[in-house]
Amino acid sequence: LRNEHVPQLVNLFESSFSVKLTDESKTIREVFGQIDARLFHSYTQPTVERLTKLIKDGIAAPDWAPPSGRPDQVRAYVYSAMMILVMVHTEVSTTVSATGSGSSLLGEILSYFLEKVSQALLDGFKERKPNMYTLPALMQATLDTEFIAQTMSQYVTSKAAEIQGQIYMELDKRSANDARARLQQELGEMRVVLKKLREQSRNSLGCFKRARSEKDRGRPEPVAL
Protein backbone atom coordinates (compact mmCIF):
# COMPACT_ATOMS: atom_id res chain seq x y z
CA LEU A 1 0.00 0.00 0.00
CA ARG A 2 2.70 2.49 1.02
CA ASN A 3 5.10 1.63 -1.81
CA GLU A 4 2.65 1.09 -4.66
CA HIS A 5 -0.91 2.34 -4.26
CA VAL A 6 -0.37 5.54 -2.24
CA PRO A 7 2.31 6.97 -4.60
CA GLN A 8 0.02 6.19 -7.55
CA LEU A 9 -2.87 8.04 -5.91
CA VAL A 10 -0.65 11.03 -5.11
CA ASN A 11 0.63 11.15 -8.70
CA LEU A 12 -2.92 10.89 -10.02
CA PHE A 13 -4.07 13.76 -7.80
CA GLU A 14 -1.08 15.93 -8.79
CA SER A 15 -1.57 15.34 -12.52
CA SER A 16 -5.34 15.81 -12.34
CA PHE A 17 -5.20 19.11 -10.47
CA SER A 18 -1.78 20.36 -11.64
CA VAL A 19 -0.43 20.73 -8.11
CA LYS A 20 2.58 19.41 -6.22
CA LEU A 21 1.99 17.70 -2.89
CA THR A 22 5.61 17.56 -1.75
CA ASP A 23 5.03 18.19 1.97
CA GLU A 24 1.75 16.30 2.05
CA SER A 25 3.16 13.22 0.30
CA LYS A 26 6.10 13.20 2.72
CA THR A 27 3.69 13.27 5.66
CA ILE A 28 1.62 10.48 4.12
CA ARG A 29 4.74 8.33 3.63
CA GLU A 30 5.81 8.91 7.22
CA VAL A 31 2.40 7.97 8.59
CA PHE A 32 2.23 4.81 6.51
CA GLY A 33 5.79 4.00 7.56
CA GLN A 34 4.73 4.16 11.20
CA ILE A 35 1.72 1.96 10.47
CA ASP A 36 3.94 -0.54 8.63
CA ALA A 37 6.35 -0.68 11.58
CA ARG A 38 3.54 -1.32 14.05
CA LEU A 39 1.99 -4.03 11.90
CA PHE A 40 5.39 -5.67 11.35
CA HIS A 41 6.11 -5.69 15.07
CA SER A 42 2.66 -6.99 16.03
CA TYR A 43 3.01 -9.85 13.51
CA THR A 44 6.62 -10.83 14.26
CA GLN A 45 6.96 -10.27 18.01
CA PRO A 46 4.96 -13.32 19.23
CA THR A 47 6.97 -15.59 16.94
CA VAL A 48 10.26 -13.97 17.98
CA GLU A 49 9.42 -14.61 21.63
CA ARG A 50 8.46 -18.21 20.88
CA LEU A 51 11.65 -18.85 18.89
CA THR A 52 13.87 -17.21 21.51
CA LYS A 53 12.45 -19.28 24.36
CA LEU A 54 12.61 -22.49 22.31
CA ILE A 55 16.25 -21.98 21.35
CA LYS A 56 17.51 -20.83 24.75
CA ASP A 57 15.67 -23.64 26.54
CA GLY A 58 17.09 -26.15 24.05
CA ILE A 59 20.68 -25.00 24.61
CA ALA A 60 20.21 -24.88 28.38
CA ALA A 61 18.86 -28.45 28.50
CA PRO A 62 21.04 -30.84 30.56
CA ASP A 63 21.33 -33.28 27.65
CA TRP A 64 22.16 -30.66 24.99
CA ALA A 65 25.92 -31.37 24.96
CA PRO A 66 26.96 -34.90 23.90
CA PRO A 67 28.77 -36.69 26.72
CA SER A 68 31.51 -37.78 24.31
CA GLY A 69 32.29 -38.31 20.66
CA ARG A 70 31.26 -36.44 17.52
CA PRO A 71 27.57 -35.48 17.31
CA ASP A 72 25.71 -36.78 14.27
CA GLN A 73 22.47 -34.81 14.71
CA VAL A 74 21.42 -31.27 15.42
CA ARG A 75 19.36 -30.99 18.58
CA ALA A 76 15.55 -31.16 18.48
CA TYR A 77 15.11 -27.44 19.19
CA VAL A 78 16.78 -26.69 15.84
CA TYR A 79 14.18 -28.65 13.87
CA SER A 80 11.37 -27.16 15.96
CA ALA A 81 12.61 -23.64 15.24
CA MET A 82 12.96 -24.39 11.54
CA MET A 83 9.41 -25.76 11.34
CA ILE A 84 8.11 -22.53 12.88
CA LEU A 85 9.89 -20.67 10.09
CA VAL A 86 8.39 -23.06 7.52
CA MET A 87 4.93 -22.12 8.79
CA VAL A 88 5.83 -18.43 8.55
CA HIS A 89 7.04 -18.97 4.98
CA THR A 90 3.76 -20.68 4.06
CA GLU A 91 1.62 -18.05 5.76
CA VAL A 92 3.39 -15.06 4.23
CA SER A 93 3.68 -16.66 0.77
CA THR A 94 -0.04 -17.38 0.75
CA THR A 95 -0.88 -13.83 1.85
CA VAL A 96 1.46 -12.25 -0.69
CA SER A 97 0.01 -14.42 -3.47
CA ALA A 98 -3.59 -13.64 -2.49
CA THR A 99 -3.09 -9.87 -2.21
CA GLY A 100 -0.68 -9.41 -5.10
CA SER A 101 1.81 -7.73 -2.77
CA GLY A 102 5.51 -7.57 -3.53
CA SER A 103 7.39 -10.80 -2.83
CA SER A 104 10.09 -8.77 -1.03
CA LEU A 105 7.88 -8.92 2.07
CA LEU A 106 8.68 -12.63 2.50
CA GLY A 107 12.41 -11.99 2.35
CA GLU A 108 12.14 -9.06 4.74
CA ILE A 109 10.26 -11.10 7.34
CA LEU A 110 12.45 -14.21 7.11
CA SER A 111 15.65 -12.13 7.21
CA TYR A 112 14.37 -10.45 10.35
CA PHE A 113 13.58 -13.82 11.94
CA LEU A 114 17.04 -15.14 11.01
CA GLU A 115 18.61 -12.18 12.83
CA LYS A 116 16.51 -12.94 15.91
CA VAL A 117 17.26 -16.67 15.75
CA SER A 118 20.98 -15.90 15.49
CA GLN A 119 20.74 -13.58 18.49
CA ALA A 120 18.91 -16.27 20.49
CA LEU A 121 21.70 -18.75 19.67
CA LEU A 122 24.34 -16.23 20.77
CA ASP A 123 22.54 -15.45 24.03
CA GLY A 124 21.85 -19.13 24.67
CA PHE A 125 25.50 -20.09 24.29
CA LYS A 126 26.56 -17.17 26.50
CA GLU A 127 24.10 -18.07 29.26
CA ARG A 128 24.54 -21.83 29.24
CA LYS A 129 25.89 -23.38 32.44
CA PRO A 130 28.55 -24.67 32.77
CA ASN A 131 30.00 -21.88 30.70
CA MET A 132 33.07 -23.74 29.47
CA TYR A 133 32.67 -25.82 26.30
CA THR A 134 34.23 -29.25 25.87
CA LEU A 135 35.07 -30.54 22.41
CA PRO A 136 31.73 -32.41 22.02
CA ALA A 137 29.86 -29.27 23.14
CA LEU A 138 31.82 -27.14 20.68
CA MET A 139 30.98 -29.55 17.87
CA GLN A 140 27.29 -29.57 18.82
CA ALA A 141 27.16 -25.76 18.94
CA THR A 142 28.87 -25.56 15.56
CA LEU A 143 26.54 -28.13 14.00
CA ASP A 144 23.39 -26.43 15.33
CA THR A 145 24.54 -22.98 14.24
CA GLU A 146 25.74 -24.00 10.79
CA PHE A 147 22.64 -26.04 10.00
CA ILE A 148 20.43 -23.01 10.58
CA ALA A 149 22.80 -20.57 8.88
CA GLN A 150 23.21 -22.67 5.74
CA THR A 151 19.56 -23.65 5.46
CA MET A 152 18.57 -19.96 5.67
CA SER A 153 21.53 -18.64 3.68
CA GLN A 154 19.47 -16.76 1.09
CA TYR A 155 17.93 -14.66 3.88
CA VAL A 156 21.18 -13.71 5.62
CA THR A 157 21.77 -10.00 6.26
CA SER A 158 24.93 -8.22 7.33
CA LYS A 159 23.51 -8.10 10.87
CA ALA A 160 22.80 -11.84 10.91
CA ALA A 161 26.28 -12.58 9.57
CA GLU A 162 27.81 -10.36 12.24
CA ILE A 163 25.90 -12.14 15.01
CA GLN A 164 26.91 -15.54 13.62
CA GLY A 165 30.54 -14.40 13.76
CA GLN A 166 30.03 -13.34 17.38
CA ILE A 167 28.73 -16.82 18.20
CA TYR A 168 32.05 -18.40 17.24
CA MET A 169 34.00 -15.71 19.09
CA GLU A 170 32.01 -16.42 22.26
CA LEU A 171 32.45 -20.18 21.90
CA ASP A 172 36.16 -19.63 21.35
CA LYS A 173 36.41 -17.60 24.57
CA ARG A 174 34.62 -20.33 26.50
CA SER A 175 36.74 -23.29 25.41
CA ALA A 176 40.23 -24.55 26.17
CA ASN A 177 43.08 -24.39 23.66
CA ASP A 178 43.08 -28.16 23.25
CA ALA A 179 39.36 -28.27 22.44
CA ARG A 180 39.71 -25.49 19.86
CA ALA A 181 42.65 -27.21 18.19
CA ARG A 182 40.85 -30.55 18.05
CA LEU A 183 37.73 -28.87 16.65
CA GLN A 184 39.76 -27.76 13.62
CA GLN A 185 40.78 -31.38 13.06
CA GLU A 186 37.11 -32.46 13.20
CA LEU A 187 35.77 -29.96 10.68
CA GLY A 188 36.19 -32.29 7.70
CA GLU A 189 34.02 -35.00 9.25
CA MET A 190 31.54 -32.41 10.49
CA ARG A 191 31.06 -31.16 6.92
CA VAL A 192 30.08 -34.71 5.97
CA VAL A 193 27.57 -34.86 8.84
CA LEU A 194 26.14 -31.46 7.95
CA LYS A 195 25.75 -32.39 4.30
CA LYS A 196 23.90 -35.58 5.26
CA LEU A 197 21.57 -33.71 7.62
CA ARG A 198 20.74 -31.09 5.01
CA GLU A 199 20.01 -33.76 2.42
CA GLN A 200 17.72 -35.55 4.87
CA SER A 201 15.80 -32.33 5.55
CA ARG A 202 15.53 -31.33 1.89
CA ASN A 203 11.82 -32.14 1.63
CA SER A 204 10.71 -30.54 4.89
CA LEU A 205 12.89 -27.41 4.54
CA GLY A 206 12.97 -27.12 0.75
CA CYS A 207 10.99 -23.87 0.80
CA PHE A 208 14.12 -22.03 1.96
CA LYS A 209 16.23 -23.22 -0.95
CA ARG A 210 17.28 -20.54 -3.39
CA ALA A 211 15.97 -21.07 -6.91
CA ARG A 212 18.91 -22.08 -9.10
CA SER A 213 19.54 -20.70 -12.55
CA GLU A 214 19.97 -22.92 -15.60
CA LYS A 215 23.75 -22.60 -15.54
CA ASP A 216 23.85 -23.60 -11.86
CA ARG A 217 21.84 -26.77 -12.31
CA GLY A 218 23.90 -29.90 -12.03
CA ARG A 219 26.48 -28.22 -9.81
CA PRO A 220 26.74 -29.59 -6.27
CA GLU A 221 25.72 -27.19 -3.52
CA PRO A 222 28.66 -26.05 -1.35
CA VAL A 223 28.70 -27.23 2.25
CA ALA A 224 31.03 -25.18 4.42
CA LEU A 225 31.69 -24.79 8.12
Side-chain angles (χ1 to χ4, degrees), residues 83-223:
M83 292 314 297
I84 291 174
L85 295 179
V86 168
M87 289 188 286
V88 170
H89 186 288
T90 301
E91 186 175 70
V92 176
S93 297
T94 302
T95 302
V96 166
S97 176
T99 61
S101 304
S103 59
S104 62
L105 178 63
L106 176 62
E108 181 182 355
I109 289 174
L110 287 175
S111 291
Y112 178 77
F113 279 133
L114 178 58
E115 291 173 359
K116 296 303 182 181
V117 164
S118 300
Q119 186 64 52
L121 287 168
L122 175 60
D123 294 341
F125 292 136
K126 279 183 177 181
E127 296 166 9
R128 177 176 167 78
K129 304 296 182 185
N131 209 223
M132 287 300 292
Y133 285 80
T134 62
L135 176 62
L138 273 179
M139 289 192 289
Q140 188 67 62
T142 301
L143 201 59
D144 290 357
T145 301
E146 282 297 314
F147 183 87
I148 293 173
Q150 293 186 29
T151 301
M152 301 293 291
S153 61
Q154 73 161 309
Y155 301 106
V156 71
T157 61
S158 57
K159 181 177 180 180
E162 180 183 352
I163 296 171
Q164 289 162 10
Q166 291 173 7
I167 289 173
Y168 291 111
M169 290 175 61
E170 290 298 328
L171 292 172
D172 194 63
K173 284 164 39 177
R174 290 167 168 77
S175 57
N177 291 335
D178 179 61
R180 293 196 298 272
R182 290 173 62 193
L183 176 65
Q184 296 301 313
Q185 299 170 9
E186 291 283 350
L187 289 181
E189 289 299 323
M190 290 183 65
R191 290 189 184 98
V192 175
V193 172
L194 181 61
K195 181 178 180 181
K196 181 189 71 173
L197 294 176
R198 293 193 63 203
E199 287 175 347
Q200 290 173 349
S201 65
R202 184 172 296 170
N203 290 336
S204 58
L205 303 179
C207 61
F208 301 126
K209 186 177 179 181
R210 186 192 302 273
R212 305 181 77 182
S213 63
E214 285 294 328
K215 69 177 182 178
D216 289 332
R217 290 182 184 170
R219 295 182 184 176
E221 292 188 50
V223 177

